Amino acid sequence: MLGKERPIRIAATLLTALGTLAAATGGLAQEVMELPGEDRWLEADFVEVYRVGAAIGEAWQEFGTIGRVGFDEAGNLHVFDRMAARVVVVNPQGDFVREFGRRGEGPGEFQSALDMVVMRDGRVVVADMGHRAYHIFAPTGDLERMVRMGRVTWIRKMDAEVGGESLIRGAIVLGSAFQAVPGETTIAFPDPRTIERISLSGDEAAVEPAADVWGPAWTKLREHVLPGGRQKIMSRGPRRGFEPELFAGVLPGGRIAFSDSSAYAVKIAERDGGRISTILTRPFSPEPVTERVMQAEKDRRLRDIEDRSEGSVSRSADGLVVSGTRGGARAREQIETLEFAEEVPIVRDLRTSWNGRIWVLRRGDEPVSDGPIDILAADGRYLGSYRTGATPLPDAFGPEGLAAFIERDELDVQTVVVKRLPRTVN
C-alpha cells in the first residue's frame, strides 16, 4: 500500500560510500535509510484550478519576466514580475487582489530586485541588489521596513523557513554585490556553495550556516592579482563539467533537505547546528564520465552557443527586445578546454512541498536530461515516482494541495498555472 513500505535503516558516521565528505557530527550517528530501487509509478492527474498571465489582457496580468511565485497560508498566489519590478497578488480563485512595488530609488521601490519570498502569514521579502537591502512588505502590500544586506553578499535563491522568522538561502546564485573600502588590498568573495539562515530582525541581515555541505575543489579560494598589482581578488573556480550541484528545500520545524553530491543521497539537516541526522538513498549509481561523455557534453554546449548567437526575442516593459550572445569565441575556447568531474550526478533538482514532501528530479537517459521525479517523505518513506515528462517540478507549493507552475505559451509569453495536487505528495 502507498506509503506503508518501511525503509531499511543503517546507522552510519562515515559517508565515504556515498561519495561525500561529512563534517564532524559531535559523536552522533547519522541514519542512512535505503529506499526501494524499483520505481512505483504515480499518475500526474492534477486538477487545474486557474491560470494567470496573457500577451494581451488586463494590465496586471501582462507579465514581463516572472522571477518567482509563492503562496501564503490563505492560498493567495504572489507573482514576482522581475522585469516590471512589481509583485502581483491573486486570491485562491485567480482573481486580482493587489500589486505593489515599482522601479525607483525610494523605500519599497526596486532598483535591481532579483528574488522574492512569501512568508506563510502573507508578508513578502524582496531581495534588491541595487539597494543592497531586503524590502519587507506587510500582507497588505505596504512597506514595513528595509534591512541592509552587508558589504559583501551573494544574492541567492531564498525560501521562507517553515515555522520560523528567518529565510534559508541556497546555492543558486542570482547576483552578487560588493562595496569597496578605500585602501583595501584584498577582496575575498564568500563561498557560494553554502546553505545559510538569514535573520531579518535587525537593521542588517545576520547570516549563519544552516547545514554542513560538501564543497568540491572549485569552491576553494584562489588568489588573482589585478592589473597594477595594488589589489588582489580571492575568487573561486573554475567549475568542472558535471560538478554536482547543491539543491536545497525547507521542511517543517526548521529542518532542511538537500543534495550535494553525484550520488542519490538526500540529506536532512537539523534546525540547531545544521547537523545531518538522516540520509535518504536509492540504489542508483552515477554514470562514469568517459571520453565519449565528455565530447558529447562539449558538443552540446557548443550547439547551445550557436543557437544563442542567432539572437533571441524577449519581452520587456517597452515591447520586444532582440538580444544575441557576446563573447562567443571566448566561450568556445572555455568549452574546448573544459575539465570534468568523474561522475554524472543522479539528482538534477530538489524541492520541498508545503507539508514537507521531498520532490527529487533524477537525470534521464542522457547525461543532461530530465528523468523521473521521486516523492519522498522526510521520515524515510518512498511514496512513488512520476514518469519522465509526466509533470515538471512545481515552482511553488501552497496550502490545500495548491501548486504553481510557470509555463510559456506558443508566443513565448509566461503564464502561471495553478493546480491541485493529491495530499500524499504535498
Side-chain angles (χ1 to χ4, degrees), residues 197 209-213 256 258 268-277:
R197 179 171 287 105
D212 295 327
V213 176
I256 299 170
F258 67 96
I268 310 295
E270 295 301 310
R271 172 64 174 81
D272 297 325
R275 180 183 64 85
I276 300 171
S277 61

Side-chain angles (χ1 to χ4, degrees), residues 409-421:
D409 64 15
E410 62 278 3
L411 299 176
D412 205 33
V413 174
Q414 284 186 307
T415 60
V416 182
V417 181
V418 174
K419 300 180 180 181
R420 197 174 302 278
L421 310 180

Side-chain angles (χ1 to χ4, degrees), residues 170-193:
I172 300 177
V173 177
L174 303 174
S176 61
F178 177 82
Q179 184 178 21
V181 175
E184 186 177 49
T185 59
T186 302
I187 303 170
F189 286 91
D191 187 353
R193 192 180 165 93

